Amino acid sequence: MARIPRPSDRVNLAHVTVLLIDDNAQALDILSSIVQGFGVKEQIRCSSAIEAAEVLKRRPVDLILVDCAMPEMDGYDFTRWVRRESPEAARQTPVIMLTGHAAASRVHKSRDCGASFIVAKPLTPTVLLQRIVWLSSDEREFIQSETYVGPDRRVRNMGPPLNVAGRRKGDLSTHVGAAVEANMDQSDIDSLFKPRRVAL
C-alpha cells in the first residue's frame, strides 16, 4: 500500500491552477474529481492537447496533468512542445504524464520528452498526491540541450522515494486497448526518474 502523505508533506493547492488533458471524457471527470479533492479550486479541463496548447499560449498554469495516448497530438508531443516551443512562462511548468500502458519503452519515452513524473492508470489519489508533493520540493535544475529539455535527470538529490507500492502490473485502462509490452509497477516507473550518476 502506498504511503499516505504526512501532514508535514502536505502542500496548499487552493491557489494552484491545474491544466487537465485527456480525450476520454470519463477519465477527465475522474481526474478532475481527484484534483478537486486535493483542494484545487482552479482547473482547466481540455479534451485534446491542441486545445491545451491554445490555453498555454494565453495564460500560464502551475501544473499540467496529461494523458499519454490521444489522437492528433499525443501527450509526448504535447510535453515536447511545452518544453521547447510554448511561451517562456510555461516551459518549466511541472508535467505529470498519465499512462494506461506502463511499458518500459513508454516510460522512457515520457521521461525523455521532459515529463516531471509519469503515473500509471488506473490512478489512485494517494500516488498522484505523492507526486505533487514531491514536485513541490523538487530542486532539480532545468536542462536545455539539443537532445533534451526538461528536469535534470543527473544526480542532484535522492529523487522520488523507492519501494513505494504502485498499481498492479496487470491493470489496464478501459480505453487504451491491449498492451503490447508488460506494464511496469509504479515503483519501477519512479526508479527511472531517480537521478543517477553519469560518467562525464
Side-chain angles (χ1 to χ4, degrees):
M1 181 177 221
R3 180 182 71 80
I4 296 173
R6 298 181 306 264
S8 61
D9 292 337
R10 296 190 190 280
V11 292
N12 183 352
L13 300 176
H15 302 291
V16 170
T17 300
V18 180
L19 180 59
L20 310 175
I21 313 159
D22 200 315
D23 66 311
N24 180 289
Q26 183 180 15
L28 191 58
D29 287 343
I30 291 169
L31 184 59
S32 178
S33 295
I34 291 172
V35 171
Q36 184 176 4
F38 297 161
V40 173
K41 293 187 172 134
E42 186 175 10
Q43 304 176 21
I44 302 170
R45 295 169 44 129
C46 295
S47 59
S48 75
I50 293 170
E51 180 185 352
E54 291 303 314
V55 169
L56 288 179
K57 288 175 186 175
R58 294 190 308 269
R59 61 165 299 178
V61 298
D62 301 303
L63 175 64
I64 299 169
L65 304 177
V66 58
D67 185 53
C68 290
M70 291 184 289
E72 298 182 76
M73 177 187 262
D74 62 21
Y76 309 106
D77 289 337
F78 173 78
T79 302
R80 279 187 211 93
W81 176 84
V82 168
R83 296 299 185 223
R84 296 174 180 271
E85 300 174 42
S86 69
E88 195 67 36
R91 292 193 183 173
Q92 294 187 26
T93 303
V95 176
I96 298 178
M97 296 187 75
L98 313 171
T99 183
H101 290 319
S105 61
R106 295 193 184 198
V107 173
H108 281 106
K109 186 175 180 180
S110 298
R111 182 194 64 187
D112 293 343
C113 69
S116 306
F117 284 114
I118 183 166
V119 175
K121 290 181 176 181
L123 293 176
T124 62
T126 300
V127 170
L128 185 56
L129 182 58
Q130 283 175 337
R131 301 320 176 266
I132 293 170
V133 169
W134 295 345
L135 282 170
S136 70
S137 59
D138 192 358
E139 296 179 0
R140 289 180 292 174
E141 291 182 28
F142 202 79
I143 300 298
Q144 294 183 344
S145 71
E146 288 184 20
T147 57
Y148 175 75
V149 180
D152 191 349
R153 295 190 313 255
R154 295 173 298 179
V155 66
R156 289 282 187 269
N157 55 34
M158 293 305 293
L162 295 177
N163 303 319
V164 175
R167 59 179 267 167
R168 296 177 301 250
K169 289 187 179 188
D171 285 347
L172 290 175
S173 173
T174 58
H175 73 286
V176 296
V180 293
E181 295 178 65
N183 286 329
M184 297 177 70
D185 185 86
Q186 187 66 51
S187 61
D188 295 331
I189 294 170
D190 293 337
S191 72
L192 291 176
F193 281 81
K194 181 179 180 183
R196 301 177 189 279
R197 292 193 183 278
V198 293
L200 298 176

